[in-house]
Amino acid sequence: MSGTENINVTNVTADTGIRRLDIPKGGPLDGVGEPGGARTAREARAHLHITDCPAPLPAGEPCPIHTGSEGPVPRAELEWLRRVHQAAPGHRALREQLRRTRLLALCGEPGTGRAWTGLALLAEHAERAGSGVIRLGPGVLLGASAGQELQRGHGYLLELPAAATGTTPDTLLDRLRDQAVERGAFAVVLVPGGPVAERLLGARRHALPHEPPAAADVLDGHLADLLADGPAELLELARATAARPEVAEALGLDELRPGEAARLAGHLAAHAQGRMSDERLLEHCRSFAPRQARAWFTAPGRPDTLPAALPELRAAALRIALAVFNGSAHSLTAEAAELLTWELAVTLDPQYAPGRPLFTARPGAAPATARAVCGDGVEDLGEASVPVRAMWFRGRRLAPAVLYEVWDGHHNLRGPVARWLRGLCDDPRPQVWVRAAVAAGVLCSRDYLYGLAELLLPLVRTDSPVQRMAAATALAEASRAPEVRPAVDGLLRAWARGDDERERETAALAHGYGLAAGSVPASLAELGRIACADGGVTTSYGVLRLLAGTEPEAVLDGLTHWLRDNRRPRRDLALLTALRAVSTRTSHLWGLREVPELEPYAAWPLATALLAARPGCAPQLSGLLRAALTWARSAGAAEDALVGWIRRAARDKRQLAVLCGFLPRLAQDGDEPLDVGAATRIREVLEAL
């Protein structure tokens, strides 16, 4: 049925003397969680959805990086380093610090080229002394090899071990410096970013920060070295391939780190030489973000007791929180990270109650550990937007890579993460619960059995309407995965036919997204069944959300058909939905799929927005509103709704123009004349404008 011109409303208005059909105020959350939810949901989807999921890490891929092992560094490796090394910013200051004190603590994140810079600095001094460069294990710092004498004039590279976080790093470095001065040697100690690095940098004795060289320079230097023996055309081809948009899209990182640039150079060289296909190249590129996530959460030698493990837990919590709140206000992300730190800490040691550090040593240090950056952003509050200091990953593929790594690769992290997400889903602010719900749905699609039991069912069975709305959102989000959708659909069908009111309500809210049943008409049919069993208040909100979705014509067809239904709950649901459409702001009916044609009218009532964006909906909407005005059960509510609709439109010339084009159709269409009282009241309102 494409229109409502031929509806005989007499058949559905015979019930007289029945109590008035009332329009509920607001949504199922009484207005909480609706304003601002549209932008939040859109951003959450954008950050966690990519067209191609991160690929499993390829095995046996070529890599040009000389990682080396303990012992003397081969001359061939030092010669290779001289060819490809790009001096980092501040290289002269690093060289002077090492020359003056014979010890340099080089602070920076792994993968930023610290080791290459350290080797290059040591090689300069060793060359002048006619000696060599040696990699040492961490034992020399912890005292296991304290009796070992450093060789005169040699350079030594080592990394501050994770176990050293429980001791005073200055003491360890002082001991190593004394040995270096005594023997005329030089030492570079690599210190990963974190509290220890911040303390060392704050002391300004041994440590300097390491700033990586430009990734483009590193990439070009490695390409030139790898293709030095081939024709010049190969180098140009590799450079051109690196600049292709699909390569940048597959990488999904704003800027590569030096180690990643070197790895990419190896792939590009193999591709230019014909040893790697386009598809294989992009597959390798898509593995870069998952590699970073794996490096963050899989590192040997980490402390596993508190309080020594607390800095690592805090860094892990920040990365996970940023995966959920990517692009959101820094204050929301930081608070969520602290809540997750607590969950991780009490999981590791239930007897330990972690506190919160009140001060940080250096602004911007925490985002750097998460490969993130802070800047100006905006949070939508529904009626207005406010400026915020936002925080986001420096790469669009990092957020899903972190969530997938945590969920798929570290089972014991699931419990604290699930408890954390459930807590966030009880926050009335849509900027919090919507993001948490979308993330929960994404994780449930990875492991539905675990997610249902540990994430969703506890949310459904609480007395919190926000948590049930979050559960519905998560279920709809999980049903995007084709392999999970039948399970979600079956679960919602069982809930719709069951006796638990909370489960029926959750099913109605979930079907409002139009995903779980496989199509919008199927979701609408399920909502009609729920209405027959449970009334129409929450159900009408689900139908209203469907009407604001991608297929409003299909929804209006279904509502029009329900006007002929001999079951009063379905007739009531159709009328109630039509009346709520003239009073509910479009942005409050956000969904999980983009509806770009409604974006310009987000602040308008849904009915007005549909008339402006989809004029073809006018006949069906007119028939529904005429039925509401004619049927005795809904006539009073319909008059009030239309009068309010007209008065709101009078404050906006664009809305008023749309409404003035629609009202004649409302008065003229149909077989039955408009009720005299209703027509008179509407005319009075129009004359008063």
Side-chain angles (χ1 to χ4, degrees):
M1 185 180 296
S2 60
T4 59
E5 292 85 345
N6 298 321
I7 291 177
N8 185 354
V9 273
T10 304
N11 292 336
V12 296
T13 59
D15 309 42
T16 58
I18 301 176
R19 65 183 179 87
R20 168 176 167 150
L21 184 69
D22 293 322
I23 306 176
K25 301 293 184 182
L29 306 182
D30 293 328
V32 175
E34 294 170 352
R39 183 190 182 108
T40 304
R42 182 168 59 250
E43 291 182 351
R45 295 195 311 272
H47 291 308
L48 292 181
H49 290 168
I50 51 179
T51 55
D52 43 17
C53 293
L57 298 182
E61 64 176 81
C63 181
I65 303 174
H66 294 254
T67 55
S69 56
E70 293 181 25
V73 179
R75 290 191 177 277
E77 183 176 341
L78 293 177
E79 179 58 36
W80 168 83
L81 185 63
R82 291 188 187 95
R83 295 196 309 268
V84 302
H85 180 253
Q86 302 292 324
H91 187 85
R92 182 175 299 178
L94 300 178
R95 181 197 298 133
E96 177 60 22
Q97 169 82 357
L98 183 60
R99 184 200 64 78
R100 184 170 54 84
T101 66
R102 294 185 176 271
L103 175 70
L104 172 62
L106 202 53
C107 301
E109 292 301 310
T112 56
R114 301 170 306 155
W116 289 343
T117 296
L119 286 175
L121 291 168
L122 293 171
E124 292 177 18
H125 290 286
E127 185 177 9
R128 286 195 293 268
S131 56
V133 179
I134 299 174
R135 287 189 181 92
L136 291 179
V140 67
L141 276 179
L142 297 178
S145 305
Q148 173 186 339
E149 292 187 352
L150 304 181
Q151 300 180 44
R152 183 169 298 279
H154 280 63
Y156 294 86
L157 181 73
L158 64 161
E159 185 158 6
L160 187 72
T165 57
T167 63
T168 304
D170 295 85
T171 303
L172 302 176
L173 295 177
D174 284 340
R175 181 191 308 163
L176 181 62
R177 179 180 178 275
D178 291 343
Q179 292 181 6
V181 170
E182 180 183 350
R183 302 300 301 166
F186 298 91
V188 174
V189 180
L190 308 180
V191 183
V196 172
E198 296 309 309
R199 289 200 299 270
L200 290 174
L201 290 170
R204 299 184 179 181
R205 293 178 57 201
H206 305 296
L208 286 176
H210 177 261
E211 297 182 35
D217 295 339
V218 176
L219 178 64
D220 202 63
H222 280 266
L223 282 175
D225 183 67
L226 289 166
L227 299 173
D229 296 332
E233 291 79 4
L234 290 183
L235 179 58
E236 293 306 316
L237 175 60
R239 288 170 173 165
T241 303
R244 282 161 47 181
E246 59 267 30
V247 171
E249 169 67 21
L251 288 168
L253 300 170
D254 291 352
E255 184 170 357
L256 298 179
R257 288 179 167 175
E260 294 165 340
R263 190 186 317 134
L264 178 60
H267 301 323
L268 292 171
H271 177 269
Q273 293 166 339
R275 297 185 289 110
M276 184 181 292
S277 66
D278 282 1
E279 181 180 353
R280 185 64 171 162
L281 172 64
L282 296 179
E283 180 184 343
H284 280 299
C285 290
R286 284 190 288 269
S287 75
F288 276 50
R291 279 182 175 276
Q292 175 65 90
R294 181 156 299 177
W296 278 336
F297 295 98
T298 309
R302 285 183 170 174
D304 57 0
T305 58
L306 295 176
L310 199 54
E312 289 282 356
L313 296 184
R314 184 162 275 113
L318 177 61
R319 291 159 184 156
I320 298 170
L322 190 55
V324 175
F325 290 90
N326 192 24
S328 187
H330 174 270
S331 58
L332 296 181
T333 307
E335 179 61 23
E338 287 295 337
L339 295 173
L340 181 55
T341 298
W342 172 277
E343 291 288 354
L344 297 177
V346 297
T347 300
L348 184 62
D349 184 353
Q351 303 302 317
Y352 186 88
R356 296 188 180 193
L358 298 179
F359 305 101
T360 56
R362 187 164 54 101
T369 65
R371 202 165 177 171
V373 66
C374 292
D376 294 336
V378 173
E379 285 286 1
D380 183 18
L381 302 181
E383 299 295 334
S385 296
V386 293
V388 296
R389 179 172 176 253
M391 184 177 179
W392 58 87
F393 277 125
R394 299 190 66 186
R396 62 181 298 271
R397 287 185 180 267
L398 286 171
V402 165
L403 280 188
Y404 296 169
E405 173 65 24
V406 167
W407 201 247
D408 297 342
H410 306 272
H411 178 79
N412 289 341
L413 279 175
R414 287 186 172 193
V417 168
R419 292 192 298 272
W420 172 69
L421 286 174
R422 294 202 307 265
L424 295 176
C425 285
D426 199 26
D427 192 307
R429 295 171 295 180
Q431 295 81 9
V432 177
W433 78 258
V434 172
R435 286 183 178 271
V438 172
V442 170
L443 295 179
C444 285
S445 70
R446 309 284 291 187
D447 187 341
Y448 178 73
L449 288 179
Y450 186 94
L452 177 64
E454 300 297 330
L455 270 173
L456 301 185
L457 291 182
L459 293 175
V460 174
R461 291 166 181 167
T462 68
D463 293 327
S464 165
V466 178
Q467 285 189 311
R468 287 199 295 279
M469 187 68 175
T473 305
L475 281 164
E477 178 61 39
S479 69
R480 287 182 186 276
E483 63 275 15
V484 171
R485 185 180 302 125
V488 175
D489 186 27
L491 178 72
L492 297 183
R493 286 175 181 270
W495 285 356
R497 291 157 177 76
D499 298 327
D500 191 306
E501 181 181 350
R502 294 170 299 183
E503 291 180 351
R504 285 198 303 271
E505 179 183 273
T506 305
L509 294 172
H511 278 303
Y513 292 106
L515 294 168
S519 69
V520 169
S523 292
L524 185 64
E526 285 300 309
L527 287 167
R529 295 187 186 97
I530 296 173
C532 289
D534 209 30
V537 176
T538 299
T539 313
S540 70
Y541 184 82
V543 179
L544 200 61
R545 180 167 261 163
L546 278 182
L547 185 58
T550 57
E551 301 177 43
E553 294 86 357
V555 178
L556 290 171
D557 278 344
L559 297 180
T560 300
H561 179 72
W562 285 348
L563 287 180
R564 295 179 177 277
D565 201 299
N566 58 6
R567 288 164 289 190
R568 179 180 296 165
R570 291 197 176 185
R571 301 200 306 268
D572 284 355
L573 181 57
L575 298 170
L576 193 56
T577 302
L579 296 182
R580 294 184 77 174
V582 306
S583 60
T584 304
R585 181 183 170 119
T586 301
S587 63
H588 292 186
L589 298 167
W590 52 269
L592 295 176
R593 291 189 287 194
E594 293 297 326
V595 189
E597 58 268 29
L598 291 182
E599 283 296 319
Y601 315 107
W604 293 12
L606 176 60
T608 319
L610 286 174
L611 291 171
R614 301 217 179 187
C617 292
Q620 297 160 300
L621 191 58
S622 170
L624 287 166
L625 291 176
R626 280 183 58 83
L629 286 165
T630 307
W631 192 20
R633 179 165 164 74
S634 59
E639 288 180 26
D640 292 342
L642 262 68
V643 168
W645 187 25
I646 296 169
R647 285 175 174 163
R648 279 190 297 273
R651 298 192 290 265
D652 182 340
K653 291 182 179 180
R654 294 171 61 217
Q655 290 190 55
L656 188 59
V658 172
L659 208 55
C660 288
F662 172 74
L663 288 177
R665 175 185 292 275
L666 181 63
Q668 297 168 9
D669 286 354
D671 296 332
E672 296 292 325
L674 196 62
D675 178 80
V676 174
T680 300
R681 190 175 178 195
I682 293 172
R683 184 175 62 252
E684 291 173 351
V685 172
L686 290 172
E687 291 174 349
L689 294 180

